Amino acid sequence: MLRVAASPYFRKGPKLRAFLLYVCENALLDRVENVREQLIGSEVFGRSSEYNLSSDNIVRVEAREL
C-alpha cells in the first residue's frame, strides 16, 4: 500500500493519495464502518460532517479516478 502511495502518480495528487491511504488503512484494521462516503468526504476531502451527498459528489468522482 505505501509503495503504491509513494508512486509518481500519487505524489502529483495528494488528495487521491490520502483517499487511498484512508480506505486501505481502515479496511486493513477492519474498521469498515469508516469507509462510507459521508465520512470519507469529511475526513479526506475536508467537507463538513453534514455535507449534502447529492449536490457534492467529490468522493464518487475521486473513487472513479482512484
Side-chain angles (χ1 to χ4, degrees):
M1 163 183 72
L2 293 176
R3 188 170 19 158
V4 172
S7 72
Y9 179 79
F10 287 104
R11 271 184 268 158
K12 293 179 188 174
K15 285 293 184 180
L16 203 54
R17 181 180 188 275
F19 187 12
L20 172 71
L21 292 173
Y22 178 85
V23 171
C24 288
E25 180 180 324
N26 281 287
L28 290 171
L29 294 173
D30 201 30
R31 290 190 234 150
V32 292
E33 68 278 2
N34 291 344
V35 185
R36 294 182 303 113
E37 184 177 2
Q38 188 85 40
L39 214 50
I40 294 168
S42 297
E43 298 294 319
V44 176
F45 298 105
R47 302 306 197 260
S48 75
S49 59
E50 302 297 320
Y51 86 101
N52 185 337
L53 298 173
S54 35
S55 65
D56 185 349
N57 62 353
I58 185 72
V59 176
R60 284 172 271 144
V61 168
E62 294 299 317
R64 264 183 256 131
E65 181 68 23
L66 186 59

